[in-house]
């Protein structure tokens, strides 16, 4: 069983004038009987940076830019314990072009535990040069009880060569009142190892008082 459809959307950001906008249109959406979905998407973006900015090792000059990209995405239904997404995007980007492959996988064996992994590979070519970038993340959520939970997120990107960790314990010790213990760490890849750049341990408390 197949279902065909299309959709469109527009987003914009202004500050005394149009700074950036994106127009998206999906001319083809195929939904299978399993509710898995295949979609083709076309998007057009406009950006007018008033100052030059860094993108990877390159500098994008201030000016007016517009570009068009196409993407093909396949998504399996999230009602399964194991589901995922796979997408390929390619097209213009500022004064050059960009290609991107992205994948996401999530495993939900039960209502208390979830693990999620994402990976993205980008190839960017601009007038000032080119670069590629790998971006990945791994997340874990474990709700041991309705009142006690632990979450963990690790992220890496090859441009900054940094690995970031976030670990959080949440304890709702009474309805509306919660304690959070949060650990944030940033490590930088140097040579054959990782050097610790930053480490923060924070204890937060939210309390609700009823009169």
């Amino acid at each position: 069983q197949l279902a065909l459809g299309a959709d469109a959307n527009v987003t914009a950001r202004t500050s005394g004038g149009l700074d950036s906008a994106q127009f998206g249109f999906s001319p083809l959406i195929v939904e299978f009987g399993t509710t898995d979905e295949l979609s083709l998407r076309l998007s057009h973006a406009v950006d007018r940076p008033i100052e030059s900015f860094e993108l990877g090792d390159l500098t994008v000059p201030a000016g007016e830019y517009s570009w068009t990209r196409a993407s093909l995405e396949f998504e399996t239904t999230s009602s399964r314990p194991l589901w995922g997404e796979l997408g390929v995007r390619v097209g213009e980007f500022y004064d050059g072009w960009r290609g991107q492959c992205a994948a996401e996988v999530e495993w939900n064996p039960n209502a208390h535990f979830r693990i999620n992994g994402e990976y993205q590979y980008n190839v960017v070519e601009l007038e000032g040069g080119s670069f590629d970038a790998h971006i990945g993340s791994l997340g874990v959520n474990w709700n041991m009880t309705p009142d006690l939970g632990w979450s963990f997120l690790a992220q890496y990107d090859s441009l900054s060569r940094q690995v970031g960790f976030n670990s959080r314990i949440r304890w709702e010790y009474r309805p509306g009142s919660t304690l959070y213990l949060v650990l944030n760490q940033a490590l930088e890849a140097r040579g054959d190892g990782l050097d610790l750049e930053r480490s923060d341990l924070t204890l937060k408390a939210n309390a609700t008082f009823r009169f």
Side-chain angles (χ1 to χ4, degrees):
Q1 180 182 356
L2 299 178
L4 303 180
D7 70 4
N9 63 69
V10 177
T11 60
R13 178 173 59 85
T14 62
S15 178
L18 182 64
D19 293 330
S20 64
Q22 182 163 308
F23 312 88
F25 175 60
S26 297
L28 178 64
I29 301 174
V30 181
E31 185 174 301
F32 300 90
T34 57
T35 68
D36 296 342
E37 187 177 281
L38 177 69
S39 63
L40 173 65
R41 181 173 180 80
L42 304 176
S43 63
H44 184 75
V46 177
D47 194 17
R48 298 187 175 98
I50 60 174
E51 296 180 351
S52 61
F53 64 93
E54 300 299 316
L55 187 63
D57 296 328
L58 307 178
T59 299
V60 178
E64 292 192 13
Y65 301 93
S66 66
W67 61 87
T68 301
R69 293 201 303 166
S71 64
L72 184 66
E73 299 179 356
F74 178 72
E75 178 181 355
T76 64
T77 176
S78 58
S79 62
R80 298 192 186 106
L82 182 66
W83 66 275
E85 296 181 25
L86 182 64
V88 178
R89 304 173 183 89
V90 65
E92 302 164 316
F93 188 61
Y94 288 100
D95 55 11
W97 72 276
R98 174 185 179 183
Q100 180 187 85
C101 296
E104 179 181 4
V105 177
E106 184 167 301
W107 181 45
N108 300 279
N110 53 57
H112 306 285
F113 185 82
R114 174 173 62 88
I115 184 168
N116 175 275
E118 295 185 42
Y119 172 75
Q120 189 182 106
Y121 175 63
N122 293 272
V123 178
V124 177
E125 289 195 6
L126 304 178
E127 287 189 359
S130 63
F131 66 89
D132 60 1
H134 302 266
I135 302 170
S137 69
L138 177 68
V140 178
N141 272 275
W142 183 21
N143 293 314
M144 291 161 271
T145 71
D147 303 324
L148 181 64
W150 172 69
S151 64
F152 172 81
L153 178 65
Q155 295 178 306
Y156 170 77
D157 80 83
S158 61
L159 289 179
S160 66
R161 295 178 57 82
Q162 282 196 342
V163 181
F165 296 99
N166 173 273
S167 180
R168 186 182 75 165
I169 297 174
R170 174 194 57 82
W171 175 40
E172 189 174 1
Y173 57 93
R174 70 176 183 223
S177 299
T178 310
L179 285 174
Y180 298 93
L181 183 63
V182 183
L183 174 65
N184 287 304
Q185 289 186 313
L187 299 92
E188 185 171 351
R190 292 177 181 169
D192 297 328
L194 294 171
D195 291 342
L196 183 63
E197 294 289 308
R198 177 176 58 83
S199 183
D200 302 316
L201 183 64
T202 306
L203 179 64
K204 301 178 181 179
N206 293 333
T208 301
F209 300 95
R210 295 181 174 85
F211 299 94

